[in-house]
Amino acid sequence: MGLDIDPPDGGCKAWFIMVCSFLVNGIVFSIINTFGILFVKLKEDLEESGDEDAAFKCALVGSLAIGSTFFLSFFAGILADKIGLRTTSVIGGIIATLGMGLSALFHDRIEVLYLTYGLMFGTGASLAYNPSLTVLGLYFKKRLGMVNGFVTAGSSAFTILLSFINPYILNNHGLLPCLIFLTCLSSLLIICGLTFSPLTKKQPSPASSLASDKLNGGSFVERFIYVENWRNKRFLIWAMALPCALFGYFVPFVHLVQFAKNIPLDSDDSQNGQKAAFLMACIGITSGLGRLFFGRVSDLPAFRRNGNRIILQQGAFFAMGVCTMLMTVAQFWEGFEYQTLLTICCVMGLFDGCFVTLLGPIAFDLCGPAGAGQAIGSLLALFSVPMTVGPPIAGIIYDKVGDYTPAFLAAGVPPIVGSLLMFAIRRFPPKEDVDDNVEDNREITIDKAEAEKIQRNESQAALEKERHDDQYDHTQSMGTSGTSGTVLA
């Protein structure tokens, strides 16, 4: 950990690793984001078998997948520190591929899918995903922002692709071939993980060795956890507000396709399904654009100052909450249901991109470079609870009521509440502002002391000058008297 590594900021290997990280990000999150398309087929099969809780059970599969992906992210980072990025990522790719392969084998057993698709794929995705971001810092420094933007756009690009590919396979071939295709896609994680090798390590510098010795000398907890983050009140508020907002965040990603098909969007069943699936593609497209746009906006001086990036994220959550609620209005715009939902999904995707792209910069703003890595890992782990719980609750509401309107209205409330909770962060000034005030006061004190010192020196100089003048006058007078005596003599 205490080794000096100079990122090359380019070269064939660095660019190849960037592409592999792009693929890992795209594969992991496109499979998670497009689960709503599989959800429809799984739910239909369960309902045909007479299961009354079909929506809840199917939603739980997708929730377990994203929940375990986020929950284990913090532990994946610790594991990567112990056994290496490449080994961790390859193990993750193997587990994810096995999980998806077993899901294909037992695609008609929903209880088995909880373990294979939900837990195994989610665990493998977490172990593969974290090293794909960490390795970028080993190969890029000056271009790290640009590279991260390209890599995170992978989820949007692959989400768009799977929004078309998955419905085509499901409609023409069924659930089993679709899961086999996802298994083949997941196997690419293994190949990509093999490229995540570290650079040739140099000898540790004295400063880094000292920092490492200090870390190793701490308590057991401090050896693994950056405890300063949890003493930071601004970070604590942020860490509580975000999970609160995310209780409703993932609901549209799971239930939107089924909700849209229920309206319906088209009298033809095939067209109805394609239009409903395309809504997910729209969210993916505009989310990618939102990441690029709000990433640039957040770098403006007005938002970099005083942790003001949080304001953008507050606005994003508020907008996503409103958009989730407004989806229920589309069914009342007779003849324009599809256009209404399309517009809402485009707006929602833009602000989803804003939320995602600001996680890293805000973590750096609140915790600094030393604590940002673990701050992000801790947040992703906290995200797992609301993301796992939200969609099944929406499924229960639908199973009991027979309508998605109450579920989507309820899902819009948490993002709005979370955005309002973030106002509490403003009660605590940024640490750098406190340090600046202390420094200003110190400078004022120093200025006063300097002024007094200068005044004392000037007074002493004036006294010395007066004393010198008096001595000179006295000497002159004595000389005059001596000369007069000599003349008279």
Side-chain angles (χ1 to χ4, degrees), residues 12 27 30-31 45 74 77 89 112 122 124 134 157 173 186 202 211 230 254 429 450 455 460 464 480:
C12 293
I27 292 168
S30 63
I31 291 176
D45 293 344
F74 183 64
S89 188
V112 178
T134 306
H173 303 285
S186 299
K202 296 182 178 181
W230 304 102
V254 173
E450 287 292 332
Q455 189 174 5
Q460 290 177 358
E464 287 291 333
T480 305

Side-chain angles (χ1 to χ4, degrees), residues 322-363:
V322 172
C323 285
T324 303
M325 291 181 167
L326 286 177
M327 287 179 180
T328 62
V329 179
Q331 56 194 318
F332 302 110
W333 287 73
E334 198 168 329
F336 297 95
E337 296 94 342
Y338 179 58
Q339 291 83 351
T340 304
L341 273 179
L342 204 61
T343 303
I344 295 172
C345 287
C346 287
V347 175
M348 185 174 180
L350 279 173
F351 287 105
D352 171 67
C354 176
F355 152 62
V356 172
T357 200
L358 289 180
L359 278 176
I362 293 177

